[in-house]
Amino acid sequence: MENHGRGPAPRPADGPLPYEGVWRFTASAVDASVPQARHAVRDLLYRQGVPLVDDQVHGLLLIVSELVTNAVRHAALLSPMLAVEVAVGAEWVRVSVEDNHPYRPTALEADHGQTGGRGLLLVREVAREWGGVCDVEHTASGGKVIWAALPLRPAHVP
């Protein structure tokens, strides 16, 4: 059964794996939050020992950068704060960015004449490249959460 990081996965008989958990932090919807969020997620993944290959980590960090950038550029007026969440289960790692802006973005097709507007398209492609998924959901408060989940493909089992 594929749950894409959205619920409990089967656990080993001796309990959760040492890298499993959910971490959430908030940041101001300003440009400086983009690299701060990327570094915080990178440090968390390494500190927890999440079994990802380096290319997966780079993909996740690109996703975080794109999602936080979108929140800063498009939601800051109505949502001066954003939240970044990292959820790691036995089989999936999920990153999400939440803001209080009600607009639900869509991935735009690439227009070679424009220099922007491809962030969600890029997020979708990076997730798909690793066998993952991404989506946008509304929150109970009227905002939205944009998330991407990648399967864990450890190079070796710790």
Side-chain angles (χ1 to χ4, degrees):
M1 178 171 89
E2 294 186 31
N3 66 16
H4 305 295
R6 300 173 101 199
R11 301 277 187 255
D14 56 349
L17 297 167
Y19 53 79
E20 289 185 80
V22 177
W23 298 267
R24 184 178 176 91
F25 61 91
T26 59
S28 298
V30 296
D31 289 337
S33 293
V34 177
Q36 290 171 347
R38 186 175 54 248
H39 295 305
V41 170
R42 179 201 61 205
D43 293 348
L44 171 71
L45 294 172
Y46 287 128
R47 184 175 62 248
Q48 292 305 121
V50 179
L52 295 165
V53 296
D54 285 343
D55 286 345
Q56 277 182 299
V57 172
H58 293 301
L60 275 172
L61 297 179
L62 177 60
I63 288 170
V64 168
S65 293
E66 290 296 330
L67 296 182
V68 173
T69 297
N70 283 350
V72 168
R73 286 189 183 159
H74 304 294
L77 185 60
L78 295 178
S79 183
M81 296 297 289
L82 57 93
V84 177
E85 184 174 280
V86 179
V88 184
E91 298 175 5
W92 286 88
V93 59
R94 181 180 190 253
V95 294
S96 61
V97 174
E98 179 178 343
D99 64 58
N100 290 320
H101 196 289
Y103 174 70
R104 181 181 170 132
T106 57
L108 302 175
E109 294 300 320
D111 178 349
H112 298 291
Q114 293 183 345
T115 58
R118 296 186 192 96
L120 288 180
L121 182 64
L122 181 60
V123 168
R124 180 189 304 154
E125 291 306 311
V126 170
R128 196 176 289 162
E129 177 182 323
W130 287 102
V133 294
C134 66
D135 202 0
V136 179
E137 298 172 356
H138 289 287
T139 64
S141 64
K144 65 184 165 304
V145 175
I146 305 176
W147 59 268
L150 304 183
L152 294 179
R153 292 191 181 152
H156 65 285
V157 177

